[in-house]
Amino acid sequence: MVTDVRPVALRAAYDAAHGGRWTSLRGGGREWLWRGPEPGRHEVRPDDAFVDAGGLEECLPTVRGEPDHGEVWSRPWSSAGPGTVVIERPTFTLTRRITDSGGAVVADYRLAADPGHRFVWAAHALLDLSPAARLDAPAGTPTRLHPEAATLLPPGSWPTGDPWLTGPWPTPAGLTVAGLTLDMFGPDDGTALGAVLLDCARVQVVDGADRLTLELECADQPRSTALWRNLGGWPANGPYRSVGIEPMLGAAFDLADAGPSDAAVVPPTGEVTWRLTISAHRNH
């Protein structure tokens, strides 16, 4: 049987006044971005605790660590032309332009900073997915598990004092959760873990007849895909389900943990540019 796979045009919406957050990624009658249960996102002030409102948050210059989810999500961005917003901080300026390219959403970024400036960036995209969805990435991709996964491994498996444990996708360290490999989500099982797929610049999310492709282009910088697989395991005082698929510059959630090759570094030109392309297809 031959499957007819057709492109689905996507459209994005964002909120410049509240961290440049992407509020919608819609196409073919489907909204891909999940909306969270936490109120108060519009009341956030710089350095406030993170409010998990869903959508896609821009995380820079770190994801975890200080400040949590970075500096730019909690601050207003300024308009700089059609589809273009900018945020200026003491150590960097970030510009983002979102356009349409044949039905795909294309986000072009430019970060200006002093040469040698180190940073991690992630498009923290929380997706509205069914339990049958899966994440399609190259088998064997080196994948870093982060410490919350330690409780899911046999006692003594976690290297003492190490910020991560590395193994091949989709079962780093032989890990399965409730019988599922990490590329599968399944029903809520009370677990939550974070992982980073190294040198992985393109992934597909497959959910029924729909496919969402996320691809990151950037020359001479480490490119990864981060995974936040929360199936009712976080937060402790009111857990809910949220799945993050996060194109990333860098290889560590926390800039403070990043070794020499684990962060993006501004070259002598004083500028780093990158492109995120998101496209959708549907089987008919």
Side-chain angles (χ1 to χ4, degrees), residues 30-207:
R30 174 170 186 156
E31 174 58 62
W32 281 96
L33 294 182
W34 172 83
R35 290 176 173 82
E38 298 295 331
R41 179 66 179 83
H42 285 188
E43 286 70 51
V44 166
R45 296 293 180 267
D47 302 321
D48 280 357
F50 184 65
V51 174
D52 194 11
L56 186 159
E57 300 278 14
E58 301 282 357
C59 297
L60 181 80
T62 190
V63 183
R64 298 184 181 180
E66 296 294 336
D68 188 17
H69 289 73
E71 297 180 20
V72 301
W73 74 272
S74 62
R75 290 174 164 84
W77 298 37
S78 301
S79 176
T84 304
V85 288
V86 61
I87 180 167
E88 298 185 15
R89 300 294 301 133
T91 58
F92 62 83
T93 298
L94 178 67
T95 304
R96 183 191 72 201
R97 180 172 182 254
I98 296 179
T99 56
D100 168 78
S101 178
V105 172
V106 178
D108 286 300
Y109 296 82
R110 183 177 71 252
L111 183 133
D114 290 340
H117 179 81
R118 302 175 78 245
F119 66 95
V120 170
W121 164 85
H124 180 65
L126 294 172
L127 302 182
D128 189 1
L129 303 176
S130 77
R134 60 184 176 85
L135 177 60
D136 187 4
T141 296
T143 302
R144 288 176 171 172
L145 290 173
H146 284 253
E148 61 271 11
T151 59
L152 304 174
L153 296 169
S157 299
W158 197 269
T160 302
D162 286 2
W164 49 67
L165 187 156
T166 305
W169 176 263
T171 54
L175 177 64
T176 60
V177 185
L180 300 178
T181 52
L182 295 194
D183 56 337
M184 304 171 69
F185 298 109
D188 289 1
D189 58 18
T191 67
L193 63 85
V196 177
L197 287 74
L198 306 180
D199 194 26
C200 182
R202 182 182 185 275
V203 297
Q204 272 196 342
V205 179
V206 181
D207 193 5

Side-chain angles (χ1 to χ4, degrees), residues 245-278:
I245 311 297
E246 309 178 25
M248 185 178 191
L249 291 182
F253 279 124
D254 191 340
L255 181 61
D257 293 332
S261 62
D262 295 330
V265 181
V266 176
T269 59
E271 184 176 281
V272 178
T273 61
W274 63 95
R275 170 174 286 183
L276 172 62
T277 302
I278 307 178

